[in-house]
Amino acid sequence: MSDLLVRAARGERTERPPVWLMRQAGRYIPEYRDIRERYTFKEAIKTPEVAERITLLPWELFEPDGLVMFSDILTVLEPLGFDYRIESGVGPVVSNPVTGPDDVPAEAGDVASDIDYVGKLLERLRESVGDRTSIIGFAGGPYTLASYVVGDEPTSRKPIRRFRANHPEAFRDLLEAFTGVVEEYVAYQVERGADVVQVFDTWAGVLTPDDYREFVLPLHRRIFDAIDVPSIVFVRHPGGKLDLLAESGADVVGLDWTVDMADARAELGETPVQGNLDPSYLLGDPEFVRRKTREVIEKAGDSGHVLNLGHGIDRTTPVENAKVFVETAKEVER
């Protein structure tokens, strides 16, 4: 197997940094937009042959060192009985949100049967690419998932914070419900062929360090204990919590672009990191992309670094610039 990504995630010195992009099979690729004209987002992720085709688009364009399955963090809402849709320009909309303690789900369905299309996708990807690249699975973290199902205005994160203040026990119960499902889900992904798993608890960055330590850190540890392949934790705006993220049980701490790579490496010591080019830099000219990418690589050092963006790739990014980003990593010789 091409294990460059796996080795870097374990903290090993690698001959060059492995590279992939968050949201790499997305709307910046013309063929993706063509496919989405024929399928809604949920239809695309729930149809394994369509999801496979979308996942493979970046591989055909620039062969990254990891293929992240085309799916969504909200798939785990289904075993808990939530109904959701994705509205263009709005994002996720949950039709039966949690508005009070009585709405917190008491039990969950079976992940392997309720989200079996994800397992089928991973199996198809393994058959398609064999050992030529690492297959990346992922899941949402409990705080981020909870933030989407509580109340309205999900992008402000205010409803979930209000819910925590007014219903602290129900808040814990909701995080617990998501944690149980995510534990099962990540183990299922590994069983079906994922070589690496990333947990996106993106919105946990809005928490104070004390709240993260009390409410979320123990749950992250449970989730990462359920993953027996290299794992990555990603929290947007993690400043002030890097040391706590290193205690989460994840093998790799993902860094967004607001964190200086050299400072993070100094603070985290031997803990491997992922990131963290500002996605907006890919909107510049190719030479600018190449220069800024090299700066990240140099700051990160020779071991324990997975090159990535500091967040998802922007939909207006030229495909050529995404290719330059990947090729810059492949040009490194150590």
Side-chain angles (χ1 to χ4, degrees):
M1 181 176 70
S2 177
D3 62 350
L4 194 68
L5 175 56
V6 170
R7 289 191 286 119
R10 289 174 176 161
E12 297 179 19
R13 186 182 189 279
T14 51
E15 53 271 29
R16 65 169 178 83
V19 57
W20 65 284
L21 299 82
M22 289 187 279
R23 295 181 187 166
Q24 69 184 8
R27 286 169 286 184
Y28 71 103
I29 300 178
E31 188 175 339
Y32 172 86
R33 298 195 294 269
D34 293 341
I35 294 171
R36 284 296 313 282
E37 288 181 0
R38 302 193 299 274
Y39 299 91
T40 67
F41 183 77
K42 287 183 74 173
E43 287 172 342
I45 65 174
K46 289 190 171 190
T47 309
E49 58 268 29
V50 175
E52 177 193 22
R53 177 69 199 129
I54 293 172
T55 303
L56 291 173
L57 292 176
W59 175 255
E60 295 167 357
L61 289 168
F62 40 74
E63 297 191 7
D65 297 302
L67 279 183
V68 58
M69 66 180 188
F70 180 72
S71 188
D72 195 86
I73 66 170
L74 298 184
T75 55
V76 296
L77 269 59
E78 296 177 35
L80 288 170
F82 293 107
D83 183 38
Y84 74 95
R85 65 186 185 278
I86 306 295
E87 289 190 4
S88 179
V90 177
V93 177
V94 177
S95 60
N96 54 337
V98 172
T99 59
D102 291 343
D103 298 323
V104 175
E107 57 183 26
D110 180 67
V111 168
S113 58
D114 289 350
I115 324 178
D116 65 331
Y117 50 87
V118 173
K120 292 175 182 177
L121 168 60
L122 289 167
E123 290 170 348
R124 293 177 71 97
L125 290 173
R126 176 56 69 205
E127 184 174 348
S128 294
V129 301
D131 293 334
R132 293 177 292 167
T133 191
S134 296
I135 296 174
I136 304 168
F138 67 88
Y143 185 81
T144 297
L145 294 168
S147 73
Y148 282 118
V149 303
V150 172
D152 54 8
E153 302 176 3
T155 56
S156 73
R157 307 308 116 192
K158 289 181 182 178
I160 185 64
R161 295 159 76 187
R162 185 184 306 119
F163 189 82
R164 177 196 62 195
N166 292 327
H167 309 289
E169 290 306 314
F171 173 73
R172 289 183 184 275
D173 290 343
L174 184 59
L175 294 185
E176 178 69 30
F178 276 119
T179 300
V181 171
V182 172
E183 282 181 290
E184 187 176 345
Y185 186 41
V186 294
Y188 172 69
Q189 291 180 30
V190 174
E191 178 186 317
R192 288 294 188 267
D195 300 306
V196 177
V197 175
Q198 175 160 316
V199 174
F200 290 87
D201 217 343
T202 310
W203 293 112
V206 304
L207 293 168
T208 67
D210 284 344
D211 280 351
Y212 174 80
R213 182 184 293 106
E214 178 181 356
F215 294 109
V216 179
L217 180 57
L219 306 182
H220 279 178
R221 286 172 173 163
R222 280 175 47 189
I223 292 168
F224 289 115
D225 280 347
I227 302 172
D228 59 7
V229 297
S231 57
I232 306 166
V233 62
F234 179 80
V235 171
R236 192 175 182 182
H237 303 316
K241 291 185 282 291
L242 287 181
D243 58 333
L244 295 173
L245 292 173
E247 297 175 19
S248 68
D251 297 296
V252 181
V253 173
L255 306 173
D256 78 356
W257 74 94
T258 67
V259 178
D260 181 81
M261 175 61 77
D263 290 346
R265 296 246 65 176
E267 181 175 350
L268 292 170
E270 297 300 314
T271 300
V273 296
Q274 176 177 274
N276 67 337
L277 188 75
D278 184 336
S280 72
Y281 287 173
L282 294 190
L283 304 179
D285 63 68
E287 184 52 40
F288 178 79
V289 174
R290 187 173 289 107
R291 176 165 57 85
K292 288 298 184 180
T293 301
R294 286 173 178 162
E295 288 177 5
V296 172
I297 294 171
E298 290 170 4
K299 285 186 175 184
D302 292 349
S303 62
H305 175 227
V306 176
L307 180 63
N308 207 312
L309 303 180
H311 202 253
I313 187 170
D314 187 275
R315 71 179 72 182
T316 63
T317 299
V319 172
E320 179 60 28
N321 281 1
K323 186 175 182 179
V324 168
F325 174 70
V326 172
E327 288 181 344
T328 301
K330 293 185 177 183
E331 292 167 357
V332 173
E333 296 182 0
R334 293 171 176 160

